Amino acid sequence: MVEVRDPRRYSVTSPNASVQERLFRSLVEYAPTGVAMVDRFGTIVLVNRETERLFGYTPDELVGQSIDMLVPRRLLGSHAGFRAQFFESPQRREMGAGRDLFGLRKDGTEIPVEIGLNPVETDEGVFVLASIVDITARKQAEARFRIAVEASPHGMVMVDPQGRMMLVNRETERLFGYERSELLGQPVEMLVPHQVRAHHPDVRAAFAADPRSRPMGAGRDLYGRRKDGSEIPVEIGLNPIETTDGIFVLASVVDISPRKRAEEALRRSNEELERFAYVASHDLQEPLRTVTSYMQLLSRRYRDRLDGDASEFIDFAVSGAKRMQRLIQDLLTFSRVSTRGEALQLTDADIVLQGVIANLKAAIAESNASIACDRLPQIIADPVQLEQLLMNLLGNALKFRGTEAPQVHITATRTGRFQRFSIGDNGIGIDPQFFDRIFVIFQRLHGRDDYPGTGVGLAICKKIVERHGGRIWVESKPGSGSTFHFTLVAASE
Ligand code: ADP
């Protein structure tokens, strides 16, 4: 408590001030905070420049007047009561804690203020020394923050260090089905599903111990609990906000039910499509076999009785049926990539490659190809599908050769958690405009007479690589060979 004998001695005009008094006076006079001393009757006995500036008065217009002239009319009643209370038990305090305070300016406008009160005991009784801070800028910043939060398309929830919701926006009300008044001041746990509610304070404590902006529960499915007890899948971003009262958390909540529904619909439709492809290709084989075998019977038994045209027509029909059989078999293989895949396991890619080279021995010899390969590493894969993958890529490298004998180069490079395999050839190459198309089922760039095939091979490769969590792509120029790259998870992972 400041001991002052006569507060009037500190009025700006005092003629007999000692050096120390002058210093003290200028301290008050030029303080960036408004200062006003008031007696128990509410009379202003001292003000500084900042108070005059804040309220728009010139020097000496305030001293001797009632403090009420600085209080908005509508607050006068409660102000008188408050003053009486203060002088009954004078102690240092904030004025109107928790309520918004306003000052009345000379021009009739109001300014938001924060007021601290200190009792000052003198021979002439107790005075109150009020410090007044203009909080217009802070209020404006707060208002802007509120507008931004309110306008956010995400649910925004500000949680205090005790886990109570201090601010929620309209979207939060909509998402969780509560009125704002039902949420404010309540523990945030009321928005958390029952089964994880008990654990949630630990989650908050962990965040407070390492406060960084980050998604909540990365990699896990999060749910929010609505007022009606239903749960919604959500994605939550957490942002720490440091305040003098500790670390607050601003959580942004996005309802991901539409995305989940779309993913589920896509999964179901993919499954149906695969079932359809499987059933169709499986069931189509039987009648096709009948057609083929009766055509062949016809040709064998009646060849001498038919004329040249008829025999030719039968040959066309048989080769058409055989082609269809191949297409159906490839389609079946394609649909089996996801339905009949084996578990991913530690696989020695080198052993698999040697098996593939052995299988292609005839084609290699026939095309006079030379094959150079690194020692391939161990990876995590379905060995049967890895064999299929290498078989298709190596088969294509031999098939799409130019005029020279094929030279194929197979390498593997570690890139992060993946191994990148590359199969380069010196064949006819591919125009970059077709890089995407060749991985689509039944898409081919050549006629059957130039190069045999069904256009399913690369689609199978893509499906296999994607089932393994990797990527497949091609680099090529027409006439300069092609290199197909794909990535699979390396063994150490
Ligand atoms: P298919 O080999 O039955 O035609 P793919 O799906 O394996 O079917 O390949 C699709 C198309 O991609 C091929 O028709 C060919 O035009 C092109 N292609 C694939 N591999 C190569 C390669 N190594 N060199 C040049 N073109 C290729």
Side-chain angles (χ1 to χ4, degrees):
M1 197 178 291
V2 189
E3 280 291 329
V4 184
R5 292 173 64 83
D6 176 5
R8 285 187 185 83
R9 283 168 56 199
Y10 291 94
S11 78
V12 185
T13 49
S14 170
N16 301 318
S18 70
V19 172
Q20 212 177 13
E21 278 173 345
R22 273 215 310 279
L23 283 176
F24 185 40
R25 232 176 32 221
S26 14
L27 186 73
V28 174
E29 181 63 6
Y30 297 109
T33 305
V35 174
M37 179 105 77
V38 175
D39 70 13
R40 60 166 52 247
F41 308 107
T43 306
I44 302 172
V45 296
L46 177 153
V47 287
N48 69 349
R49 278 177 198 227
E50 177 61 7
T51 304
E52 288 161 351
R53 193 192 66 76
L54 275 183
F55 291 89
Y57 287 94
T58 51
D60 300 332
E61 273 187 310
L62 288 171
V63 173
Q65 304 297 319
S66 165
I67 188 71
D68 286 351
M69 69 191 288
L70 303 181
V71 179
R73 304 278 165 268
R74 62 197 160 83
L75 304 175
L76 276 179
S78 57
H79 188 253
F82 184 84
R83 193 169 62 239
Q85 232 178 39
F86 180 86
F87 281 102
E88 242 163 55
S89 65
Q91 53 181 312
R92 199 182 159 174
R93 67 173 89 158
E94 291 286 303
M95 189 167 179
R99 274 187 298 119
D100 285 341
L101 298 181
F102 296 90
L104 178 66
R105 303 186 78 244
K106 188 178 177 182
D107 64 10
T109 57
E110 293 186 11
I111 43 167
V113 287
E114 208 167 69
I115 300 178
L117 301 175
N118 286 282
V120 177
E121 245 171 55
T122 73
D123 291 348
E124 296 177 19
V126 179
F127 290 75
V128 56
L129 183 69
S131 63
I132 308 156
V133 181
D134 175 7
I135 54 171
T136 308
R138 194 210 299 167
K139 284 279 169 193
Q140 279 168 349
E142 273 176 21
R144 277 197 294 270
F145 175 73
R146 273 172 201 277
I147 289 170
V149 166
E150 194 58 23
S152 168
H154 300 173
M156 300 288 256
V157 183
M158 173 114 81
V159 178
D160 76 1
Q162 287 70 44
R164 289 174 306 217
M165 292 177 274
M166 303 317 282
L167 186 141
V168 296
N169 68 349
R170 205 179 311 132
E171 178 63 6
T172 307
E173 293 179 296
R174 196 192 65 77
L175 277 183
F176 292 92
Y178 285 100
E179 297 282 324
R180 201 169 298 224
S181 56
E182 295 174 286
L183 295 172
L184 291 178
Q186 298 303 315
V188 68
E189 274 73 27
M190 73 190 275
L191 304 181
V192 173
H194 278 311
Q195 61 272 27
V196 281
R197 195 172 280 183
H199 169 64
H200 194 257
D202 294 342
V203 174
R204 279 195 290 106
F207 184 81
D210 179 19
R212 301 178 271 118
S213 291
R214 62 177 124 132
M216 183 172 176
R220 273 188 297 120
D221 283 344
L222 297 180
Y223 292 87
R225 184 185 157 87
R226 306 188 73 244
K227 186 177 179 182
D228 63 11
S230 61
E231 293 183 4
I232 40 167
V234 287
E235 218 163 62
I236 301 179
L238 301 175
N239 300 281
I241 297 184
E242 271 181 54
T243 74
T244 45
D245 298 326
I247 293 187
F248 281 55
V249 181
L250 184 62
S252 73
V253 186
V254 187
D255 175 9
I256 54 170
S257 357
R259 196 211 296 168
K260 286 264 172 195
R261 273 197 298 273
E263 278 171 8
E264 179 58 18
L266 193 67
R267 199 185 55 76
R268 260 205 307 269
S269 108
N270 272 342
E271 253 179 34
E272 269 166 29
L273 213 63
E274 255 157 26
R275 238 193 331 266
F276 171 78
Y278 179 76
V279 170
S281 43
H282 190 264
D283 292 0
L284 283 175
Q285 288 197 92
E286 174 55 29
L288 197 60
R289 260 198 295 271
T290 313
V291 172
T292 319
S293 47
Y294 278 97
M295 276 293 174
Q296 283 167 335
L297 193 64
L298 199 63
S299 129
R300 266 204 312 274
R301 231 187 249 175
Y302 300 97
R303 188 167 284 278
D304 8 330
R305 273 181 263 166
L306 297 172
D307 64 15
D309 269 0
S311 297
E312 200 184 14
F313 295 164
I314 289 178
D315 286 347
F316 285 153
V318 170
S319 82
K322 280 193 175 147
R323 218 177 89 65
M324 188 157 173
Q325 226 161 13
R326 254 196 319 277
L327 281 168
I328 287 175
Q329 265 157 12
D330 281 357
L331 189 59
L332 203 56
T333 314
F334 178 78
S335 79
R336 279 176 172 157
V337 170
S338 46
T339 53
R340 300 283 173 90
E342 286 182 24
L344 306 191
Q345 52 197 270
L346 188 63
T347 302
D348 189 329
D350 205 60
I351 294 179
V352 176
L353 176 67
Q354 297 314 322
V356 169
I357 292 176
N359 271 336
L360 288 172
K361 213 160 89 192
I364 293 171
E366 178 256 322
S367 61
N368 208 13
S370 63
I371 303 206
C373 42
D374 288 359
R375 165 107 183 61
L376 298 190
Q378 294 211 328
I379 50 165
I380 304 299
D382 169 343
V384 177
Q385 293 191 343
L386 177 63
E387 183 178 346
Q388 243 176 323
L389 177 61
L390 290 171
M391 188 86 178
N392 283 337
L393 294 178
L394 202 53
N396 279 350
L398 299 176
K399 180 164 68 174
F400 295 102
R401 60 177 176 264
T403 44
E404 289 172 26
Q407 289 178 4
V408 186
H409 196 199
I410 304 167
T411 58
T413 323
R414 176 82 186 231
T415 54
R417 49 187 286 264
F418 289 97
Q419 286 286 355
R420 189 186 68 217
F421 294 89
S422 306
I423 299 179
D425 63 47
N426 60 339
I428 58 172
I430 303 164
D431 191 325
Q433 64 170 313
F434 301 124
F435 282 0
D436 287 335
R437 204 167 112 188
I438 55 172
F439 291 100
V440 176
I441 191 162
F442 296 137
Q443 294 288 334
R444 315 194 64 228
L445 305 180
H446 306 280
R448 251 177 300 130
D449 296 336
D450 303 331
Y451 300 93
T454 54
V456 181
L458 288 180
I460 291 177
C461 291
K462 184 162 192 271
K463 209 169 180 202
I464 290 176
V465 171
E466 285 176 357
R467 178 183 169 234
H468 285 71
R471 208 163 70 78
I472 183 166
W473 70 103
V474 64
E475 279 176 324
S476 180
K477 261 208 301 235
S480 310
S482 314
T483 303
F484 283 82
H485 306 275
F486 64 89
T487 56
L488 294 176
V489 175
S492 55
E493 299 291 324

